Short mmCIF file of all heavy atoms in Angstrom, two decimals:
data_model
loop_
_atom_site.label_atom_id
_atom_site.label_comp_id
_atom_site.label_asym_id
_atom_site.label_seq_id
_atom_site.Cartn_x
_atom_site.Cartn_y
_atom_site.Cartn_z
N ARG A 413 -14.06 8.98 -0.52
CA ARG A 413 -14.71 9.85 0.47
C ARG A 413 -13.61 10.30 1.42
O ARG A 413 -12.92 9.49 2.02
CB ARG A 413 -15.74 8.97 1.17
CG ARG A 413 -16.55 9.60 2.19
CD ARG A 413 -17.51 8.55 2.79
NE ARG A 413 -17.91 8.95 4.09
CZ ARG A 413 -18.84 9.85 4.34
NH1 ARG A 413 -19.49 10.41 3.35
NH2 ARG A 413 -19.11 10.20 5.58
N ALA A 445 -20.49 2.86 10.33
CA ALA A 445 -21.70 3.16 9.55
C ALA A 445 -21.81 2.17 8.37
O ALA A 445 -22.90 1.66 8.08
CB ALA A 445 -21.67 4.58 9.05
N LEU A 449 -24.82 -0.26 7.17
CA LEU A 449 -25.44 -0.13 5.85
C LEU A 449 -25.40 -1.45 5.10
O LEU A 449 -26.39 -1.89 4.51
CB LEU A 449 -24.69 0.89 4.99
CG LEU A 449 -24.65 2.34 5.45
CD1 LEU A 449 -23.88 3.16 4.43
CD2 LEU A 449 -26.05 2.86 5.58
N GLN A 466 -21.08 14.82 4.85
CA GLN A 466 -22.34 14.13 5.19
C GLN A 466 -22.00 12.83 5.91
O GLN A 466 -21.16 12.06 5.41
CB GLN A 466 -23.08 13.76 3.89
CG GLN A 466 -23.23 14.85 2.91
CD GLN A 466 -24.66 15.34 2.84
OE1 GLN A 466 -25.51 14.91 3.60
NE2 GLN A 466 -24.93 16.24 1.93
N LYS A 467 -22.64 12.60 7.01
CA LYS A 467 -22.37 11.33 7.71
C LYS A 467 -22.92 10.20 6.86
O LYS A 467 -24.06 10.28 6.39
CB LYS A 467 -23.08 11.32 9.06
CG LYS A 467 -22.36 12.09 10.13
CD LYS A 467 -23.04 11.83 11.46
CE LYS A 467 -22.33 12.60 12.54
NZ LYS A 467 -23.06 12.60 13.80
N LEU A 468 -22.12 9.13 6.74
CA LEU A 468 -22.58 7.99 5.95
C LEU A 468 -23.94 7.48 6.43
O LEU A 468 -24.78 7.11 5.63
CB LEU A 468 -21.57 6.84 6.08
CG LEU A 468 -20.60 6.54 4.95
CD1 LEU A 468 -19.92 5.22 5.18
CD2 LEU A 468 -21.28 6.57 3.59
N SER A 469 -24.11 7.48 7.73
CA SER A 469 -25.34 6.90 8.29
C SER A 469 -26.57 7.72 7.94
O SER A 469 -27.69 7.22 8.06
CB SER A 469 -25.20 6.78 9.79
OG SER A 469 -24.78 8.03 10.31
N THR A 470 -26.39 8.98 7.48
CA THR A 470 -27.57 9.82 7.24
C THR A 470 -27.96 9.86 5.77
O THR A 470 -28.93 10.53 5.41
CB THR A 470 -27.32 11.27 7.72
OG1 THR A 470 -26.19 11.76 6.97
CG2 THR A 470 -27.01 11.33 9.19
N ILE A 471 -27.21 9.19 4.89
CA ILE A 471 -27.50 9.34 3.46
C ILE A 471 -28.09 8.06 2.88
O ILE A 471 -27.90 7.77 1.70
CB ILE A 471 -26.24 9.76 2.69
CG1 ILE A 471 -25.09 8.77 2.96
CG2 ILE A 471 -25.82 11.16 3.02
CD1 ILE A 471 -23.91 8.99 2.06
N VAL A 472 -28.77 7.37 3.70
CA VAL A 472 -29.23 6.03 3.33
C VAL A 472 -30.70 6.04 3.01
O VAL A 472 -31.50 6.68 3.66
CB VAL A 472 -29.00 5.11 4.54
CG1 VAL A 472 -29.67 3.79 4.30
CG2 VAL A 472 -27.54 4.94 4.76
#
Side-chain angles (χ1 to χ4, degrees):
R413 181 181 156 79
L449 297 181
Q466 311 251 6
K467 280 189 180 169
L468 257 192
S469 51
T470 60
I471 54 170
V472 170

